[in-house]
Short mmCIF file of all heavy atoms in Angstrom, two decimals:
data_model
loop_
_atom_site.label_atom_id
_atom_site.label_comp_id
_atom_site.label_asym_id
_atom_site.label_seq_id
_atom_site.Cartn_x
_atom_site.Cartn_y
_atom_site.Cartn_z
N ASP A 1 -22.38 30.78 -82.58
CA ASP A 1 -23.53 31.66 -82.64
C ASP A 1 -23.38 32.57 -83.85
O ASP A 1 -22.35 33.21 -84.05
CB ASP A 1 -23.61 32.47 -81.35
CG ASP A 1 -24.83 33.36 -81.27
OD1 ASP A 1 -25.43 33.66 -82.30
OD2 ASP A 1 -25.16 33.75 -80.14
N VAL A 2 -24.41 32.66 -84.67
CA VAL A 2 -24.39 33.45 -85.89
C VAL A 2 -24.17 34.92 -85.59
O VAL A 2 -23.59 35.65 -86.38
CB VAL A 2 -25.69 33.24 -86.69
CG1 VAL A 2 -25.78 34.20 -87.86
CG2 VAL A 2 -25.80 31.82 -87.16
N ASP A 3 -24.62 35.41 -84.44
CA ASP A 3 -24.48 36.82 -84.11
C ASP A 3 -23.07 37.21 -83.69
O ASP A 3 -22.75 38.39 -83.68
CB ASP A 3 -25.46 37.20 -83.00
CG ASP A 3 -26.91 37.14 -83.48
OD1 ASP A 3 -27.13 37.35 -84.69
OD2 ASP A 3 -27.78 36.89 -82.66
N GLU A 4 -22.23 36.25 -83.35
CA GLU A 4 -20.86 36.56 -82.97
C GLU A 4 -20.05 36.83 -84.23
O GLU A 4 -20.10 36.07 -85.18
CB GLU A 4 -20.23 35.40 -82.21
CG GLU A 4 -20.83 35.17 -80.85
CD GLU A 4 -20.13 34.04 -80.13
OE1 GLU A 4 -18.88 34.08 -80.03
OE2 GLU A 4 -20.81 33.11 -79.71
N LYS A 5 -19.31 37.92 -84.23
CA LYS A 5 -18.49 38.28 -85.37
C LYS A 5 -17.01 38.12 -85.01
O LYS A 5 -16.63 38.24 -83.85
CB LYS A 5 -18.74 39.74 -85.77
CG LYS A 5 -20.18 40.07 -86.09
CD LYS A 5 -20.58 39.51 -87.42
CE LYS A 5 -21.94 40.00 -87.86
NZ LYS A 5 -23.06 39.34 -87.23
N ALA A 6 -16.21 37.85 -86.02
CA ALA A 6 -14.77 37.72 -85.83
C ALA A 6 -14.06 38.49 -86.94
O ALA A 6 -14.52 38.51 -88.08
CB ALA A 6 -14.35 36.26 -85.87
N THR A 7 -12.94 39.10 -86.59
CA THR A 7 -12.11 39.81 -87.55
C THR A 7 -10.87 38.98 -87.83
O THR A 7 -10.20 38.53 -86.90
CB THR A 7 -11.70 41.19 -87.00
OG1 THR A 7 -12.88 41.90 -86.64
CG2 THR A 7 -10.92 41.98 -88.02
N THR A 8 -10.54 38.79 -89.09
CA THR A 8 -9.34 38.05 -89.47
C THR A 8 -8.12 38.97 -89.34
O THR A 8 -8.27 40.19 -89.25
CB THR A 8 -9.46 37.55 -90.92
OG1 THR A 8 -9.59 38.69 -91.78
CG2 THR A 8 -10.64 36.60 -91.10
N PRO A 9 -6.91 38.40 -89.36
CA PRO A 9 -5.71 39.24 -89.26
C PRO A 9 -5.62 40.28 -90.39
O PRO A 9 -5.04 41.34 -90.21
CB PRO A 9 -4.55 38.24 -89.36
CG PRO A 9 -5.13 36.92 -89.06
CD PRO A 9 -6.58 36.97 -89.41
N CYS A 10 -6.25 40.00 -91.53
CA CYS A 10 -6.21 40.93 -92.65
C CYS A 10 -7.34 41.95 -92.59
O CYS A 10 -7.47 42.79 -93.49
CB CYS A 10 -6.23 40.17 -93.97
SG CYS A 10 -7.47 38.88 -94.07
N GLY A 11 -8.18 41.89 -91.54
CA GLY A 11 -9.17 42.92 -91.30
C GLY A 11 -10.57 42.64 -91.82
O GLY A 11 -11.42 43.51 -91.74
N HIS A 12 -10.84 41.45 -92.32
CA HIS A 12 -12.17 41.13 -92.81
C HIS A 12 -13.04 40.59 -91.68
O HIS A 12 -12.54 39.93 -90.77
CB HIS A 12 -12.08 40.11 -93.96
CG HIS A 12 -11.37 40.66 -95.13
ND1 HIS A 12 -10.17 40.17 -95.57
CD2 HIS A 12 -11.69 41.70 -95.95
CE1 HIS A 12 -9.78 40.88 -96.61
NE2 HIS A 12 -10.69 41.81 -96.86
N VAL A 13 -14.33 40.88 -91.74
CA VAL A 13 -15.26 40.51 -90.67
C VAL A 13 -16.26 39.48 -91.19
O VAL A 13 -16.86 39.68 -92.24
CB VAL A 13 -16.01 41.75 -90.14
CG1 VAL A 13 -16.99 41.36 -89.05
CG2 VAL A 13 -15.01 42.78 -89.62
N PHE A 14 -16.42 38.40 -90.42
CA PHE A 14 -17.34 37.32 -90.75
C PHE A 14 -18.02 36.88 -89.47
O PHE A 14 -17.58 37.21 -88.37
CB PHE A 14 -16.58 36.10 -91.30
CG PHE A 14 -15.85 36.36 -92.57
CD1 PHE A 14 -14.53 36.77 -92.55
CD2 PHE A 14 -16.47 36.21 -93.79
CE1 PHE A 14 -13.85 37.02 -93.72
CE2 PHE A 14 -15.80 36.45 -94.97
CZ PHE A 14 -14.49 36.85 -94.93
N CYS A 15 -19.08 36.08 -89.60
CA CYS A 15 -19.60 35.45 -88.39
C CYS A 15 -18.50 34.51 -87.90
O CYS A 15 -17.69 33.99 -88.70
CB CYS A 15 -20.91 34.71 -88.66
SG CYS A 15 -20.74 33.21 -89.61
N PHE A 16 -18.42 34.32 -86.59
CA PHE A 16 -17.33 33.53 -86.01
C PHE A 16 -17.32 32.11 -86.56
O PHE A 16 -16.26 31.56 -86.87
CB PHE A 16 -17.42 33.51 -84.49
CG PHE A 16 -16.29 32.72 -83.88
CD1 PHE A 16 -15.04 33.29 -83.74
CD2 PHE A 16 -16.48 31.42 -83.48
CE1 PHE A 16 -13.99 32.57 -83.20
CE2 PHE A 16 -15.43 30.68 -82.94
CZ PHE A 16 -14.18 31.26 -82.80
N GLY A 17 -18.50 31.50 -86.71
CA GLY A 17 -18.57 30.11 -87.19
C GLY A 17 -17.95 29.93 -88.56
O GLY A 17 -17.19 28.99 -88.79
N CYS A 18 -18.28 30.83 -89.48
CA CYS A 18 -17.74 30.73 -90.84
C CYS A 18 -16.24 31.00 -90.87
O CYS A 18 -15.49 30.30 -91.55
CB CYS A 18 -18.47 31.69 -91.77
SG CYS A 18 -20.16 31.20 -92.09
N ALA A 19 -15.81 32.01 -90.14
CA ALA A 19 -14.38 32.33 -90.12
C ALA A 19 -13.58 31.20 -89.49
O ALA A 19 -12.56 30.79 -90.04
CB ALA A 19 -14.15 33.63 -89.36
N SER A 20 -14.04 30.68 -88.37
CA SER A 20 -13.29 29.62 -87.70
C SER A 20 -13.28 28.34 -88.52
O SER A 20 -12.27 27.65 -88.59
CB SER A 20 -13.82 29.37 -86.29
OG SER A 20 -15.16 28.94 -86.33
N ARG A 21 -14.39 28.03 -89.20
CA ARG A 21 -14.43 26.83 -90.04
C ARG A 21 -13.42 26.94 -91.17
O ARG A 21 -12.67 26.00 -91.46
CB ARG A 21 -15.85 26.64 -90.59
CG ARG A 21 -16.02 25.40 -91.42
CD ARG A 21 -17.47 25.10 -91.81
NE ARG A 21 -18.16 26.28 -92.33
CZ ARG A 21 -19.26 26.79 -91.80
NH1 ARG A 21 -19.79 26.27 -90.70
NH2 ARG A 21 -19.84 27.85 -92.34
N GLU A 22 -13.35 28.10 -91.82
CA GLU A 22 -12.41 28.29 -92.93
C GLU A 22 -10.95 28.22 -92.46
O GLU A 22 -10.13 27.55 -93.09
CB GLU A 22 -12.67 29.63 -93.62
CG GLU A 22 -11.77 29.90 -94.79
CD GLU A 22 -12.07 29.08 -96.03
OE1 GLU A 22 -13.14 28.42 -96.10
OE2 GLU A 22 -11.24 29.11 -96.96
N VAL A 23 -10.63 28.89 -91.36
CA VAL A 23 -9.24 28.86 -90.91
C VAL A 23 -8.86 27.49 -90.37
O VAL A 23 -7.72 27.05 -90.54
CB VAL A 23 -8.89 29.99 -89.90
CG1 VAL A 23 -9.13 31.35 -90.52
CG2 VAL A 23 -9.64 29.85 -88.61
N ASP A 24 -9.82 26.76 -89.76
CA ASP A 24 -9.52 25.42 -89.29
C ASP A 24 -9.28 24.45 -90.46
O ASP A 24 -8.37 23.64 -90.42
CB ASP A 24 -10.65 24.87 -88.42
CG ASP A 24 -10.72 25.50 -87.04
OD1 ASP A 24 -9.77 26.22 -86.66
OD2 ASP A 24 -11.74 25.28 -86.35
N MET A 25 -10.11 24.56 -91.49
CA MET A 25 -10.01 23.63 -92.62
C MET A 25 -8.92 24.01 -93.62
O MET A 25 -8.23 23.14 -94.16
CB MET A 25 -11.36 23.54 -93.35
CG MET A 25 -12.41 22.83 -92.55
SD MET A 25 -14.08 22.72 -93.30
CE MET A 25 -13.85 23.01 -95.01
N ARG A 26 -8.77 25.32 -93.87
CA ARG A 26 -7.87 25.74 -94.95
C ARG A 26 -6.74 26.66 -94.51
O ARG A 26 -5.86 26.96 -95.30
CB ARG A 26 -8.70 26.42 -96.04
CG ARG A 26 -9.65 25.44 -96.70
CD ARG A 26 -10.39 26.08 -97.86
NE ARG A 26 -11.29 25.12 -98.45
CZ ARG A 26 -12.55 24.93 -98.09
NH1 ARG A 26 -13.08 25.66 -97.12
NH2 ARG A 26 -13.31 24.03 -98.68
N GLY A 27 -6.80 27.16 -93.27
CA GLY A 27 -5.72 28.02 -92.77
C GLY A 27 -5.64 29.36 -93.47
O GLY A 27 -4.55 29.88 -93.68
N ARG A 28 -6.84 29.93 -93.84
CA ARG A 28 -6.82 31.18 -94.58
C ARG A 28 -8.08 31.99 -94.34
O ARG A 28 -9.11 31.48 -93.90
CB ARG A 28 -6.67 30.92 -96.06
CG ARG A 28 -7.85 30.15 -96.62
CD ARG A 28 -7.62 29.75 -98.05
NE ARG A 28 -8.85 29.20 -98.60
CZ ARG A 28 -8.92 28.57 -99.74
NH1 ARG A 28 -7.83 28.40 -100.45
NH2 ARG A 28 -10.07 28.12 -100.18
N CYS A 29 -8.00 33.27 -94.69
CA CYS A 29 -9.17 34.15 -94.66
C CYS A 29 -10.15 33.68 -95.73
O CYS A 29 -9.73 33.36 -96.85
CB CYS A 29 -8.72 35.59 -94.95
SG CYS A 29 -10.10 36.75 -95.25
N PRO A 30 -11.44 33.63 -95.43
CA PRO A 30 -12.42 33.21 -96.43
C PRO A 30 -12.50 34.13 -97.65
O PRO A 30 -12.91 33.70 -98.72
CB PRO A 30 -13.76 33.23 -95.68
CG PRO A 30 -13.41 33.15 -94.25
CD PRO A 30 -12.07 33.83 -94.12
N LEU A 31 -12.08 35.39 -97.53
CA LEU A 31 -12.23 36.32 -98.65
C LEU A 31 -10.97 36.41 -99.51
O LEU A 31 -10.99 36.09 -100.69
CB LEU A 31 -12.60 37.72 -98.16
CG LEU A 31 -12.84 38.71 -99.28
CD1 LEU A 31 -14.12 38.36 -100.04
CD2 LEU A 31 -12.93 40.11 -98.74
N ASP A 32 -9.86 36.82 -98.92
CA ASP A 32 -8.67 37.04 -99.73
C ASP A 32 -7.66 35.90 -99.66
O ASP A 32 -6.64 35.94 -100.31
CB ASP A 32 -8.00 38.37 -99.38
CG ASP A 32 -7.56 38.44 -97.93
OD1 ASP A 32 -7.40 37.40 -97.27
OD2 ASP A 32 -7.39 39.57 -97.45
N ARG A 33 -7.98 34.90 -98.85
CA ARG A 33 -7.17 33.67 -98.74
C ARG A 33 -5.77 33.89 -98.19
O ARG A 33 -4.89 33.07 -98.39
CB ARG A 33 -7.12 32.96 -100.10
CG ARG A 33 -8.50 32.55 -100.57
CD ARG A 33 -8.43 31.72 -101.83
NE ARG A 33 -9.77 31.29 -102.17
CZ ARG A 33 -10.37 31.55 -103.31
NH1 ARG A 33 -9.75 32.24 -104.24
NH2 ARG A 33 -11.58 31.11 -103.55
N LEU A 34 -5.58 34.98 -97.46
CA LEU A 34 -4.30 35.18 -96.78
C LEU A 34 -4.24 34.23 -95.58
O LEU A 34 -5.27 33.90 -94.99
CB LEU A 34 -4.14 36.63 -96.32
CG LEU A 34 -3.93 37.64 -97.45
CD1 LEU A 34 -3.94 39.06 -96.90
CD2 LEU A 34 -2.63 37.36 -98.18
N PRO A 35 -3.06 33.79 -95.19
CA PRO A 35 -2.94 32.85 -94.06
C PRO A 35 -3.56 33.39 -92.78
O PRO A 35 -3.45 34.58 -92.47
CB PRO A 35 -1.42 32.69 -93.90
CG PRO A 35 -0.84 33.08 -95.21
CD PRO A 35 -1.78 34.13 -95.78
N ALA A 36 -4.24 32.50 -92.06
CA ALA A 36 -4.87 32.86 -90.78
C ALA A 36 -5.06 31.61 -89.95
O ALA A 36 -5.19 30.51 -90.49
CB ALA A 36 -6.21 33.54 -91.01
N THR A 37 -5.06 31.79 -88.63
CA THR A 37 -5.34 30.69 -87.71
C THR A 37 -6.50 31.11 -86.80
O THR A 37 -6.80 32.30 -86.67
CB THR A 37 -4.13 30.35 -86.83
OG1 THR A 37 -3.86 31.47 -85.97
CG2 THR A 37 -2.90 30.02 -87.66
N ARG A 38 -7.12 30.13 -86.15
CA ARG A 38 -8.21 30.43 -85.23
C ARG A 38 -7.72 31.35 -84.10
O ARG A 38 -8.42 32.25 -83.68
CB ARG A 38 -8.78 29.15 -84.65
CG ARG A 38 -9.98 29.42 -83.74
CD ARG A 38 -10.49 28.17 -83.07
NE ARG A 38 -11.21 27.34 -83.97
CZ ARG A 38 -12.50 27.08 -83.88
NH1 ARG A 38 -13.20 27.60 -82.90
NH2 ARG A 38 -13.10 26.29 -84.74
N ALA A 39 -6.50 31.14 -83.65
CA ALA A 39 -5.95 31.97 -82.57
C ALA A 39 -5.82 33.43 -82.98
O ALA A 39 -5.83 34.32 -82.14
CB ALA A 39 -4.59 31.43 -82.14
N GLN A 40 -5.73 33.70 -84.28
CA GLN A 40 -5.61 35.08 -84.77
C GLN A 40 -6.97 35.77 -84.94
O GLN A 40 -7.00 36.98 -85.14
CB GLN A 40 -4.88 35.10 -86.10
CG GLN A 40 -3.43 34.70 -85.98
CD GLN A 40 -2.77 34.61 -87.34
OE1 GLN A 40 -3.27 33.94 -88.24
NE2 GLN A 40 -1.65 35.30 -87.49
N LEU A 41 -8.07 35.04 -84.87
CA LEU A 41 -9.39 35.65 -85.00
C LEU A 41 -9.67 36.50 -83.78
O LEU A 41 -9.47 36.06 -82.65
CB LEU A 41 -10.47 34.59 -85.16
CG LEU A 41 -10.39 33.72 -86.41
CD1 LEU A 41 -11.51 32.68 -86.38
CD2 LEU A 41 -10.45 34.56 -87.67
N GLU A 42 -10.10 37.72 -84.00
CA GLU A 42 -10.39 38.66 -82.91
C GLU A 42 -11.89 38.91 -82.85
O GLU A 42 -12.54 39.03 -83.89
CB GLU A 42 -9.67 39.98 -83.15
CG GLU A 42 -8.15 39.89 -83.10
CD GLU A 42 -7.63 39.69 -81.69
OE1 GLU A 42 -8.32 40.11 -80.73
OE2 GLU A 42 -6.54 39.12 -81.55
N PRO A 43 -12.44 39.03 -81.64
CA PRO A 43 -13.86 39.38 -81.53
C PRO A 43 -14.13 40.75 -82.15
O PRO A 43 -13.29 41.63 -82.12
CB PRO A 43 -14.13 39.41 -80.03
CG PRO A 43 -12.92 38.87 -79.37
CD PRO A 43 -11.79 38.89 -80.35
N CYS A 44 -15.29 40.88 -82.72
CA CYS A 44 -15.68 42.15 -83.33
C CYS A 44 -16.84 42.71 -82.52
O CYS A 44 -17.81 41.99 -82.25
CB CYS A 44 -16.11 41.90 -84.78
SG CYS A 44 -16.51 43.39 -85.67
N PRO A 45 -16.77 43.97 -82.11
CA PRO A 45 -17.84 44.54 -81.28
C PRO A 45 -19.18 44.56 -82.01
O PRO A 45 -19.23 44.66 -83.23
CB PRO A 45 -17.36 45.95 -80.98
CG PRO A 45 -16.24 46.22 -81.88
CD PRO A 45 -15.73 44.92 -82.42
N GLN A 46 -20.25 44.48 -81.26
CA GLN A 46 -21.61 44.50 -81.80
C GLN A 46 -22.23 45.87 -81.56
O GLN A 46 -21.88 46.52 -80.59
CB GLN A 46 -22.46 43.43 -81.11
CG GLN A 46 -21.99 42.03 -81.35
CD GLN A 46 -22.13 41.60 -82.80
OE1 GLN A 46 -23.08 41.96 -83.47
NE2 GLN A 46 -21.17 40.86 -83.28
N PRO A 47 -23.16 46.35 -82.33
CA PRO A 47 -23.53 45.77 -83.62
C PRO A 47 -22.53 46.16 -84.70
O PRO A 47 -21.79 47.13 -84.55
CB PRO A 47 -24.89 46.41 -83.91
CG PRO A 47 -24.82 47.73 -83.23
CD PRO A 47 -23.95 47.51 -82.00
N LEU A 48 -22.51 45.43 -85.77
CA LEU A 48 -21.60 45.69 -86.88
C LEU A 48 -22.36 46.42 -87.98
O LEU A 48 -23.36 45.94 -88.48
CB LEU A 48 -21.05 44.37 -87.42
CG LEU A 48 -20.13 44.48 -88.62
CD1 LEU A 48 -18.86 45.23 -88.24
CD2 LEU A 48 -19.78 43.10 -89.14
N HIS A 49 -21.90 47.60 -88.32
CA HIS A 49 -22.50 48.39 -89.39
C HIS A 49 -21.39 48.75 -90.37
O HIS A 49 -20.25 48.97 -89.97
CB HIS A 49 -23.11 49.68 -88.86
CG HIS A 49 -24.19 49.44 -87.86
ND1 HIS A 49 -25.43 48.96 -88.20
CD2 HIS A 49 -24.20 49.59 -86.52
CE1 HIS A 49 -26.17 48.84 -87.12
NE2 HIS A 49 -25.44 49.21 -86.08
N ALA A 50 -21.72 48.82 -91.63
CA ALA A 50 -20.72 49.12 -92.66
C ALA A 50 -20.02 50.45 -92.38
O ALA A 50 -18.83 50.59 -92.66
CB ALA A 50 -21.37 49.15 -94.03
N THR A 51 -20.73 51.41 -91.81
CA THR A 51 -20.11 52.70 -91.53
C THR A 51 -19.12 52.63 -90.38
O THR A 51 -18.21 53.43 -90.29
CB THR A 51 -21.17 53.77 -91.20
OG1 THR A 51 -21.95 53.31 -90.10
CG2 THR A 51 -22.06 54.04 -92.40
N GLU A 52 -19.28 51.64 -89.51
CA GLU A 52 -18.36 51.47 -88.38
C GLU A 52 -17.15 50.63 -88.76
O GLU A 52 -16.10 50.77 -88.17
CB GLU A 52 -19.07 50.79 -87.22
CG GLU A 52 -20.18 51.61 -86.62
CD GLU A 52 -20.96 50.85 -85.58
OE1 GLU A 52 -20.75 49.65 -85.43
OE2 GLU A 52 -21.78 51.49 -84.92
N ALA A 53 -17.33 49.72 -89.70
CA ALA A 53 -16.26 48.81 -90.06
C ALA A 53 -16.21 48.65 -91.58
O ALA A 53 -16.71 47.68 -92.13
CB ALA A 53 -16.47 47.46 -89.38
N PRO A 54 -15.59 49.59 -92.30
CA PRO A 54 -15.58 49.49 -93.75
C PRO A 54 -14.88 48.25 -94.27
O PRO A 54 -15.10 47.86 -95.40
CB PRO A 54 -14.85 50.77 -94.19
CG PRO A 54 -14.26 51.35 -92.98
CD PRO A 54 -14.95 50.77 -91.79
N ALA A 55 -14.05 47.60 -93.45
CA ALA A 55 -13.38 46.38 -93.90
C ALA A 55 -14.31 45.17 -93.88
O ALA A 55 -13.96 44.11 -94.37
CB ALA A 55 -12.16 46.10 -93.00
N ALA A 56 -15.52 45.33 -93.32
CA ALA A 56 -16.46 44.21 -93.27
C ALA A 56 -16.80 43.78 -94.68
O ALA A 56 -17.23 44.57 -95.50
CB ALA A 56 -17.72 44.61 -92.51
N CYS A 57 -16.60 42.51 -94.96
CA CYS A 57 -16.81 42.05 -96.33
C CYS A 57 -17.89 40.99 -96.43
O CYS A 57 -18.18 40.54 -97.52
CB CYS A 57 -15.49 41.51 -96.89
SG CYS A 57 -14.83 40.18 -95.89
N ALA A 58 -18.46 40.57 -95.33
CA ALA A 58 -19.50 39.54 -95.38
C ALA A 58 -20.50 39.79 -94.26
O ALA A 58 -20.14 40.29 -93.21
CB ALA A 58 -18.88 38.16 -95.23
N SER A 59 -21.71 39.43 -94.51
CA SER A 59 -22.72 39.51 -93.47
C SER A 59 -23.28 38.14 -93.23
O SER A 59 -23.05 37.22 -94.00
CB SER A 59 -23.84 40.47 -93.89
OG SER A 59 -24.65 39.85 -94.87
N THR A 60 -24.05 38.00 -92.18
CA THR A 60 -24.61 36.68 -91.87
C THR A 60 -25.63 36.25 -92.92
O THR A 60 -25.95 35.10 -93.00
CB THR A 60 -25.27 36.70 -90.48
OG1 THR A 60 -26.25 37.73 -90.45
CG2 THR A 60 -24.26 36.90 -89.39
N ARG A 61 -26.11 37.17 -93.76
CA ARG A 61 -27.05 36.81 -94.82
C ARG A 61 -26.32 36.46 -96.11
O ARG A 61 -26.92 35.96 -97.04
CB ARG A 61 -27.99 37.97 -95.09
CG ARG A 61 -28.91 38.24 -93.94
CD ARG A 61 -29.72 39.48 -94.24
NE ARG A 61 -28.79 40.59 -94.45
CZ ARG A 61 -28.67 41.63 -93.64
NH1 ARG A 61 -29.43 41.75 -92.60
NH2 ARG A 61 -27.80 42.58 -93.87
N ALA A 62 -25.03 36.73 -96.21
CA ALA A 62 -24.32 36.57 -97.47
C ALA A 62 -23.79 35.16 -97.71
O ALA A 62 -23.32 34.85 -98.78
CB ALA A 62 -23.15 37.54 -97.53
N HIS A 63 -23.87 34.30 -96.73
CA HIS A 63 -23.35 32.95 -96.91
C HIS A 63 -24.12 31.96 -96.06
O HIS A 63 -24.89 32.34 -95.20
CB HIS A 63 -21.85 32.91 -96.61
CG HIS A 63 -21.49 33.53 -95.29
ND1 HIS A 63 -21.39 34.89 -95.10
CD2 HIS A 63 -21.25 32.97 -94.10
CE1 HIS A 63 -21.08 35.13 -93.84
NE2 HIS A 63 -20.99 33.99 -93.22
N ASP A 64 -23.92 30.70 -96.33
CA ASP A 64 -24.66 29.63 -95.69
C ASP A 64 -24.04 29.28 -94.35
O ASP A 64 -22.85 29.12 -94.23
CB ASP A 64 -24.66 28.41 -96.60
CG ASP A 64 -25.37 27.22 -96.00
OD1 ASP A 64 -26.29 27.43 -95.18
OD2 ASP A 64 -25.02 26.09 -96.36
N HIS A 65 -24.90 29.16 -93.32
CA HIS A 65 -24.44 28.77 -92.00
C HIS A 65 -24.84 27.34 -91.66
O HIS A 65 -24.82 26.96 -90.52
CB HIS A 65 -25.01 29.72 -90.94
CG HIS A 65 -24.45 31.08 -91.06
ND1 HIS A 65 -25.08 32.08 -91.74
CD2 HIS A 65 -23.28 31.60 -90.64
CE1 HIS A 65 -24.34 33.17 -91.69
NE2 HIS A 65 -23.24 32.90 -91.04
N GLY A 66 -25.22 26.57 -92.65
CA GLY A 66 -25.71 25.22 -92.42
C GLY A 66 -24.67 24.26 -92.19
O GLY A 66 -24.05 23.75 -91.46
#
């Protein structure tokens, strides 16, 4: 679900689908490429606002979910 957010071990926030796809395929955070696994992805509370989570580096509009 595009609305579900996940936080990587390094603190970056992505939609769950994009984060899980990257860690499954490449074993890393989509932004800084530090090692990560799907088991390390943590749910991120909703709603996500930049003022609530300054580590957020991507939004659901910033990348392709196709």
Side-chain angles (χ1 to χ4, degrees):
D1 184 340
V2 172
D3 292 331
E4 292 182 53
K5 304 286 189 282
T7 305
T8 61
C10 47
H12 296 114
V13 179
F14 298 92
C15 71
F16 181 80
C18 290
S20 61
R21 183 172 47 239
E22 181 73 12
V23 300
D24 287 348
M25 290 178 19
R26 295 185 180 90
R28 63 187 188 191
C29 169
L31 184 69
D32 60 20
R33 299 186 176 122
L34 289 174
T37 66
R38 183 185 285 246
Q40 292 175 308
L41 297 178
E42 294 288 333
C44 184
Q46 297 294 323
L48 177 65
H49 300 287
T51 56
E52 294 174 352
C57 58
S59 74
T60 56
R61 293 175 301 248
H63 52 280
D64 178 28
H65 292 96

